[in-house]
Amino acid sequence: MSVITYRDAVSSVLREALDEDERVFLMGEDIGPYGGAFAVTKGFWEKYGQRRIKDSPLAESVIVGAGVGAAMAGLRPVVELMTINFSLLAMDQIVNHAAKIRYMSGGQFSIPLIIRTVTGAGASVGATHSQSFEGWYASVPGLTVVTPSTPRDVIGLFRSCRELNDPVMFVEHILLYGTRGEAPDSGDFRIPIGQADLRRTGGDITLCGYSRMALVAEQAAEILAREGIEADVIDLRCLRPLDMDTVVASVKKTHRALMVEETTRLGGFAGELVSQVQEEAFEYLDAPVGRVAGAEVPMPYSFPLEQLAIPSAESVAAAARKLVNGV
Amino acid sequence: MLKADVPELNKSDLLGFYRQMKLIREFERESERQYTRGNIKGFLHVYNGEEAIAVGAINTLRPDDYIVTHYRDHGQALARGMTSNEVMAELMGKATGCSKGKGGSMHLFSSDLNFMGGYAIVGGQLCIAAGLALAVQYRGDDQVVLCFFGDGAVNEGEFHEAMNLAAIWNLPVIFFCEHNLYGMGASSKETLVMWDSLHEMAAAYGMSRYEVDGNDVLEVRTLMQKINAEVRAGSGPAFVVARTYRLRGHSVADPADYRPQDEVSYWAGQDPIPRYRDWLTDEGIATVEDFEEIDASVDEEVVVAAEFGESSPWPESASLYDDVYTDRPTEGIPA
Ligand SMILES: Cc1ncc(C[n+]2csc(CCOP(=O)(O)OP(=O)(O)O)c2C)c(N)n1
Ligand SMILES: [Mg+2]
């Protein structure tokens, strides 16, 4: 086991894909000599050349659309949308085309396309650059939405995504690139798509999140443990398909649940989690299922305000405490 | 054009074009009838008046070339060789349709024919066409991609994104605009600055550009043969604007009363099918008997297609969840 950064993990699985499969090429803005907005593809252009590493124009729709077309013709493109905020300009290709061509063609065409993008708040880049739309994409049948939170998960999930034949939104988190974690040694290591990760066990409450919020939930569990409250912490890892079995099994044990996510509460993905828990485990619940989510504001730039708008270990612990103790 | 201008075409080729155009026209007449009877639902965009484009252009392609088009796609599908039966059944939402009834009129696909789909979000298919061409280039193959769209699509941002990408990467794609002077109900004279010299928009991308009489099947064919050869040889993308007119409304629901009568009359006189028929007659290539024979066989094919569609089964309820994903069933997944 070696310890690597999340960024290194992404780079390594991309290199692996390029080395193993001639049908794989990368395409995106500034991924060439510049090395990518988050330095994920540094050195790629020099190593693999222009044919495999395509520096595209600033044109999100055609980045994804050309990926769709190339995938229909039998290649396995991995395209990069610099951040999920810019994915809105490619929404037509992602939602109307990539996700639907297989179904609308009666199964004649598959779209083995991986769309890598970057989500999340907390980087002091203001309202237009701090959004978390992965939950929106999770509402689209035909897409697979993956949200790794650790280097290990990046590696295991990306390898599994490459084995799918359908479009994937592979959503990395802007604040996680510099985080470190253990990397699996084996090239065979995979994490099945649609399998949540029980990251910590405890009998008093279930804390459930994804992407960076899974880590925040884990930190909250540490705070709670010092007070004698033990939490199950679940990292969903995939939003579609969604592993509710793991969540429901945990809630049946703990009788309380708190869902944590970065995006706003109204229309957020956590509402779906709450709904499914009450459908599947209503009679096991000792308290209403809670949510901690982003504030209902465009993300402010100013650091202290921004911190107020994003769930923190403290705010998650406080909400959990309230569910467990009733105060 | 004279017969001598197309020496490579024999009588059977030339009558073949006539039959295809006639088939498309009669197929559309029948689909309108079936729509009125309630056997076809939703949107139905017929191709009447534009047949010379699909027939002229598609007949210049190789079987391994790719076609991408928009929602007004029955004509291109038939010209590419999809059967009247499978297209009609798809329009009716039947299990025997080309896409098992999952796509409908606006989303025809055939993997066997590299017919990569009808796309109903205006402009989206241009980006996909660029990607198909990218795959051809990536593999070092020599197919071309033919991408159809309307004059309305030129206003979409995706037009610009795809044109620029194709040009900067020298992709083997032909962007083919069916310029019928209207989007849905709005005249392109009111919405598109370059409406009267639309092909010149490609100048901004340094792209080869052409304008052609879209109601003349042989003109379209001759031009497309030249362009295909160039694009196949690596010239990079091309932009073709075919001037044409739809003889019916935008969709079956549209009475098309927003169009000036003199304009409608002018274009009725440009109907590509009588024009071509007259040409075949004047050049001494075909006789009244030839046409009668073809027309009768077309009528029969269309009637058979309608019967095939009507008598075909609906998709099984269990197929609702098929083909959302390639490798896994959707059913049973809570999401
Ligand atoms: C992005 C988008 N906007 C609007 C529509 C609704 N719509 C469907 S067809 C059409 C007109 C398109 O005109 P044109 O591209 O000229 O094609 P034509 O129908 O004339 O062949 C419109 C507005 C749509 N399908 N997609
Ligand atoms: Mg038009």
Side-chain angles (χ1 to χ4, degrees):
Chain A
M1 281 277 188
S2 53
V3 172
I4 63 169
T5 64
Y6 187 94
R7 171 183 293 107
D8 291 339
V10 181
S11 298
S12 75
V13 284
L14 290 175
R15 260 188 261 110
E16 191 174 273
L18 288 160
D19 290 337
E20 289 175 3
D21 191 343
E22 172 69 19
R23 298 168 302 172
V24 172
F25 67 93
L26 311 189
M27 176 164 56
E29 293 160 10
D30 306 298
I31 68 167
Y34 184 83
F38 299 95
V40 165
T41 53
K42 227 174 184 51
F44 279 43
W45 189 82
E46 292 78 0
K47 174 163 186 215
Y48 297 100
Q50 194 152 301
R51 174 168 172 266
R52 314 267 327 263
I53 311 298
K54 294 189 183 296
D55 237 340
S56 72
L58 280 153
E60 288 73 15
S61 222
V62 82
I63 291 171
V64 177
V68 170
M72 289 177 89
L75 300 184
R76 304 186 76 87
V78 179
V79 302
E80 176 175 317
L81 293 173
M82 196 179 281
T83 79
I84 206 161
N85 307 282
F86 317 143
S87 79
L88 300 192
L89 282 80
M91 205 69 160
D92 177 40
Q93 293 298 332
I94 300 169
V95 176
N96 287 327
H97 306 301
K100 294 180 173 54
I101 286 172
R102 180 164 176 84
Y103 194 75
M104 291 199 306
S105 69
Q108 294 182 79
F109 294 100
S110 293
I111 314 294
L113 170 67
I114 298 179
I115 302 167
R116 287 182 45 243
T117 191
V118 181
T119 191
S124 295
V125 286
T128 58
H129 282 56
S130 305
Q131 303 169 96
S132 310
F133 292 134
E134 53 279 356
W136 288 7
Y137 292 109
S139 73
V140 181
L143 294 181
T144 293
V145 181
V146 179
T147 55
S149 64
T150 66
R152 179 178 176 275
D153 286 2
V154 164
I155 292 169
L157 289 168
F158 192 87
R159 287 181 181 155
S160 293
C161 288
R162 275 181 57 205
E163 287 162 4
L164 300 177
N165 288 296
D166 300 308
V168 175
M169 294 291 285
F170 193 85
V171 185
E172 299 154 24
H173 195 289
I174 191 166
L175 292 191
L176 295 181
Y177 283 117
T179 59
R180 292 175 172 276
E182 287 182 346
D185 291 326
S186 165
D188 295 332
F189 175 74
R190 302 279 185 285
I191 293 171
I193 298 301
Q195 195 176 92
D197 186 21
L198 183 59
R199 294 178 63 97
R200 180 186 177 111
T201 54
D204 299 321
I205 186 166
T206 301
L207 305 181
C208 176
Y210 57 89
S211 191
R212 192 174 82 87
M213 287 299 121
L215 307 184
V216 167
E218 210 173 17
Q219 291 158 12
E222 278 161 27
I223 297 174
L224 293 166
R226 285 183 232 127
E227 305 165 11
I229 298 173
E230 294 299 336
D232 264 8
V233 176
I234 295 170
D235 181 351
L236 291 172
R237 295 199 293 208
C238 298
L239 304 188
R240 176 182 282 268
L242 180 60
D243 176 11
M244 283 309 287
D245 291 349
T246 298
V247 179
V248 169
S250 168
V251 175
K252 286 182 176 172
K253 181 187 76 175
T254 64
H255 308 290
R256 289 180 177 82
L258 182 65
M259 309 306 181
V260 189
E261 73 174 338
E262 241 180 88
T263 196
T264 47
R265 199 179 161 89
L266 183 70
F269 193 71
E272 176 63 31
L273 302 174
V274 174
S275 183
Q276 291 205 32
V277 166
Q278 64 84 18
E279 282 165 357
E280 301 297 325
F282 185 70
E283 62 273 30
Y284 292 85
L285 290 171
D286 287 346
V289 181
R291 276 185 289 171
V292 181
E296 298 291 327
V297 293
M299 193 57 61
Y301 163 68
S302 175
F303 186 72
L305 289 180
E306 184 183 38
Q307 292 304 305
L308 276 180
I310 308 171
S312 63
E314 291 71 28
S315 68
V316 173
R321 209 175 282 128
K322 216 170 153 192
L323 285 178
V324 174
N325 298 334
V327 280
Chain B
M1 188 169 298
L2 303 171
K3 170 73 188 78
D5 296 323
V6 282
E8 71 282 13
L9 295 174
N10 61 30
K11 177 174 176 180
S12 131
D13 298 326
L14 290 164
L15 286 185
F17 299 159
Y18 173 79
R19 187 182 192 283
Q20 280 195 329
M21 291 205 286
K22 187 77 182 161
L23 174 66
I24 294 168
R25 179 69 55 91
E26 294 308 320
F27 181 94
E28 296 294 44
R29 289 220 172 105
E30 184 61 33
S31 68
E32 287 190 323
R33 259 198 296 278
Q34 294 298 333
Y35 191 90
T36 315
R37 295 182 55 204
N39 286 337
I40 296 173
K41 302 196 184 304
F43 290 133
L44 182 71
H45 308 89
V46 296
Y47 199 58
N48 302 37
E50 306 184 22
E51 296 89 346
I53 294 173
V55 173
I58 290 172
N59 278 294
T60 63
L61 297 179
R62 288 194 325 218
D64 62 339
D65 289 334
Y66 294 103
I67 297 177
V68 177
T69 186
H70 53 165
Y71 48 87
R72 197 180 297 285
D73 56 355
H74 316 160
Q76 287 113 3
L78 294 171
R80 183 57 164 177
M82 285 174 73
T83 66
S84 299
N85 284 6
E86 64 183 326
V87 177
M88 186 60 83
E90 187 64 29
L91 267 50
M92 293 183 176
K94 296 301 184 73
T96 52
C98 58
S99 303
K100 304 177 190 161
K102 294 277 184 64
S105 156
M106 302 194 289
H107 311 111
L108 301 174
F109 288 84
S110 170
S111 57
D112 290 344
L113 299 173
N114 276 2
F115 193 83
M116 311 306 280
Y119 291 82
I121 306 296
V122 172
Q125 77 275 22
L126 279 84
C127 296
I128 292 170
L132 289 160
L134 183 59
V136 171
Q137 182 187 66
Y138 185 87
R139 281 199 280 249
D141 290 339
D142 72 341
Q143 294 117 300
V144 302
V145 180
L146 176 56
C147 175
F148 293 102
F149 52 94
D151 42 316
V154 172
N155 297 302
E156 294 284 358
E158 290 185 308
F159 171 85
H160 166 66
E161 292 194 19
M163 293 281 281
N164 182 62
L165 190 89
I168 196 80
W169 288 352
N170 209 47
L171 302 177
V173 53
I174 300 155
F175 293 109
F176 196 116
C177 180
E178 301 177 326
H179 186 3
N180 60 13
L181 288 167
Y182 288 83
M184 206 159 95
S187 165
S188 290
K189 295 177 185 174
E190 307 296 331
T191 54
L192 186 50
V193 169
M194 296 287 281
W195 75 271
D196 203 25
S197 48
L198 197 48
H199 59 292
E200 285 302 341
M201 284 192 71
Y205 308 96
M207 204 185 280
S208 316
R209 48 202 182 271
Y210 308 87
E211 193 180 39
V212 66
D213 177 352
N215 286 23
D216 185 327
V217 65
L218 295 181
E219 290 286 351
V220 173
R221 180 185 171 282
T222 303
L223 177 65
M224 283 301 290
Q225 273 204 307
K226 167 183 134 65
I227 296 173
N228 287 349
E230 285 172 5
V231 172
R232 211 182 289 292
S235 73
F239 184 49
V240 185
V241 175
R243 298 294 284 262
T244 187
Y245 203 69
R246 53 171 158 74
L247 295 174
R248 310 286 291 158
H250 169 70
S251 72
V252 177
D254 170 20
D257 51 13
Y258 44 83
R259 305 194 293 189
Q261 195 48 55
D262 55 341
E263 183 186 281
V264 174
S265 313
Y266 168 77
W267 284 99
Q270 297 298 314
D271 187 330
I273 297 177
R275 267 179 70 180
Y276 186 50
R277 191 181 154 124
D278 289 348
W279 182 84
L280 289 167
T281 308
D282 293 346
E283 292 290 312
I285 296 162
T287 62
V288 177
E289 290 75 36
D290 290 324
F291 295 124
E292 277 172 2
E293 193 183 320
I294 292 172
D295 293 356
S297 93
V298 162
D299 287 344
E300 189 189 330
E301 176 171 339
V302 165
V303 168
V304 167
E307 281 167 1
F308 174 79
E310 270 201 274
S311 63
S312 285
W314 293 109
E316 302 275 350
S317 301
S319 77
L320 176 64
Y321 292 102
D322 291 348
D323 297 321
V324 180
Y325 296 95
T326 310
D327 312 303
R328 67 170 191 260
T330 305
E331 210 178 21
I333 293 176

